[in-house]
């Protein structure tokens, strides 16, 4: 099963790129982030015509997450537990075959200090609690998406320049590694233990051309999923195309029936 994650930065603006990539890469499951549309405006028909089932959690102009799957999508959960007042569309979870899929768009947190950074940290605390609940079930799961976190300095093209960014703060990184230390596996680092493996390049300053990127999109696997991990990589091709998202897909392959 080939499972991917992609922050598309507006499904409407990026639809030609998304449908093109779905046809060429043909993933079994895709977690999308930053849809920037309400559910009713999501391009269901165009994607369903490519053989995908859909579950969407949208929001007008901001955020929004979705799961696409060639297999039935079951037991869908909308929203990250822990805060009934959280109206931002940042989390969706469902079961596909024998794998629980959690697609997330973690808050950016800038500027800091302030309420946006506080919200980011509180959201990460809730994600840690959800991961503990999933681990207790001892089943295969993936928590994938845009984490808005550079775990280490090597995940940023210029750590000194971005030292004040919410993506690089010790509090952000501490929570990311708290997740990993629960027993999760950073899938990409199993195949690329170190180095510059970016998933995001800003639109400004020729970042893509200069390869001034960040690694902020991650696939974290439960022990049961990590045992079935065959491949993981970043598909840079979509980022180099016209009217591209500023993110590019990250994907992994699990050996399951």
């Amino acid at each position: 099963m080939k499972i991917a994650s992609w922050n598309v930065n507006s499904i409407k603006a990026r639809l030609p790129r998304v449908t093109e990539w779905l046809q060429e890469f043909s993933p079994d499951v895709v977690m999308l982030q930053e849809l920037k549309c309400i559910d009713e405006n999501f391009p269901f028909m165009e994607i369903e015509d490519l053989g995908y089932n859909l579950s969407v959690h949208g929001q007008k102009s901001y955020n929004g997450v979705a799961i696409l799957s060639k297999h039935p999508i079951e037991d869908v959960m909308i929203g990250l537990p822990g805060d009934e007042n959280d109206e931002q569309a940042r989390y969706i979870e469902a079961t596909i075959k024998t794998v629980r899929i959690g697609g997330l768009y973690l808050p950016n947190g800038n500027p800091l200090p302030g309420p946006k950074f506080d919200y980011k940290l509180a959201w990460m605390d809730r994600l840690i609690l959800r991961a503990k609940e999933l681990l207790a079930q001892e089943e295969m799961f993936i928590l994938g998406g845009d984490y808005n976190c550079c775990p280490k300095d090597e995940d940023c093209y210029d750590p000194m320049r971005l030292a004040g960014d919410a993506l690089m703060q010790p509090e952000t990184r501490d929570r990311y590694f708290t997740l990993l230390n629960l027993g999760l596996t950073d899938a990409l680092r199993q195949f690329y233990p170190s180095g510059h493996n970016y998933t995001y390049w800003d639109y400004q300053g020729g970042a893509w051309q200069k390869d001034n990127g960040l690694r902020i999109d991650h696939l974290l696997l439960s022990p049961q999923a990590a045992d079935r991990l065959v491949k993981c990589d970043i598909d840079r091709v979509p980022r180099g195309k016209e009217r591209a998202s500023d993110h590019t897909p990250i994907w992994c392959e699990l050996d399951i029936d």
Side-chain angles (χ1 to χ4, degrees):
M1 180 185 285
K2 193 183 291 184
I3 303 170
S5 173
W6 190 8
N7 179 323
V8 293
N9 189 12
S10 174
I11 187 65
K12 181 179 180 181
R14 238 57 66 186
L15 185 59
R17 298 285 79 83
V18 171
T19 54
E20 176 184 64
W21 180 75
L22 289 173
Q23 289 174 293
E24 293 176 355
F25 194 72
S26 192
D28 297 289
V29 179
V30 187
M31 295 166 275
L32 296 182
Q33 301 91 45
E34 211 170 350
L35 306 177
K36 295 184 177 179
C37 72
I38 59 175
D39 293 6
E40 292 79 3
N41 292 340
F42 189 89
F44 285 92
M45 183 177 68
E46 291 87 339
I47 293 177
E48 288 174 342
D49 284 348
L50 299 177
Y52 287 91
N53 300 298
L54 291 142
S55 186
V56 177
H57 178 30
Q59 181 179 337
K60 184 178 180 180
S61 303
Y62 299 98
N63 307 321
V65 288
I67 294 176
L68 287 54
S69 174
K70 292 182 178 180
H71 309 284
I73 300 175
E74 301 174 324
D75 193 19
V76 177
M77 184 179 80
I78 298 295
L80 184 65
D83 183 357
E84 295 180 354
N85 297 317
D86 186 358
E87 297 180 351
Q88 297 191 28
R90 294 185 174 274
Y91 189 82
I92 187 168
E93 190 177 295
T95 298
I96 298 169
K97 298 190 78 172
T98 57
V99 185
R100 189 71 178 163
I101 303 289
L104 61 97
Y105 177 38
L106 207 144
N108 177 280
N110 287 304
L112 64 97
K116 291 188 176 181
F117 190 57
D118 294 342
Y119 173 65
K120 178 190 187 85
L121 298 182
W123 205 96
M124 295 185 83
D125 288 337
R126 288 159 55 200
L127 182 63
I128 291 166
L129 291 176
R130 181 57 187 160
K132 288 179 178 179
E133 293 172 352
L134 291 169
L135 284 164
Q137 298 172 21
E138 298 186 351
E139 296 177 352
M140 282 190 288
F141 71 83
I142 294 180
L143 295 176
D146 179 357
Y147 278 76
N148 269 315
C149 172
C150 293
K152 296 183 178 180
D153 283 357
E154 66 182 350
D155 298 311
C156 173
Y157 75 96
D158 190 344
M160 293 297 293
R161 184 174 181 179
L162 272 77
D165 196 284
L167 282 61
M168 302 279 289
Q169 295 310 297
E171 299 94 331
T172 303
R173 289 175 164 179
D174 285 349
R175 283 162 173 80
Y176 180 84
F177 282 105
T178 295
L179 266 176
L180 282 184
N181 291 337
L182 294 176
L184 303 186
T185 295
D186 181 340
L188 189 78
R189 286 300 180 215
Q190 297 305 296
F191 299 90
Y192 301 93
S194 62
H196 301 307
N197 307 97
Y198 303 139
T199 63
Y200 166 89
W201 298 260
D202 195 279
Y203 289 129
Q204 306 299 318
W208 168 248
Q209 292 76 12
K210 298 173 184 176
D211 199 27
N212 289 346
L214 307 173
R215 186 175 81 101
I216 56 176
D217 303 87
H218 310 295
L219 301 174
L220 303 189
L221 279 56
S222 70
Q224 296 79 8
D227 285 346
R228 303 294 188 98
L229 181 63
V230 177
K231 299 176 184 177
C232 183
D233 215 333
I234 296 164
D235 185 359
R236 293 169 61 106
V237 173
R239 181 62 180 88
K241 299 203 172 184
E242 188 176 349
R243 291 185 60 81
S245 170
D246 43 8
H247 295 250
T248 208
I250 180 173
W251 62 274
C252 72
E253 187 173 332
L254 302 183
D255 182 11
I256 63 172
D257 297 330

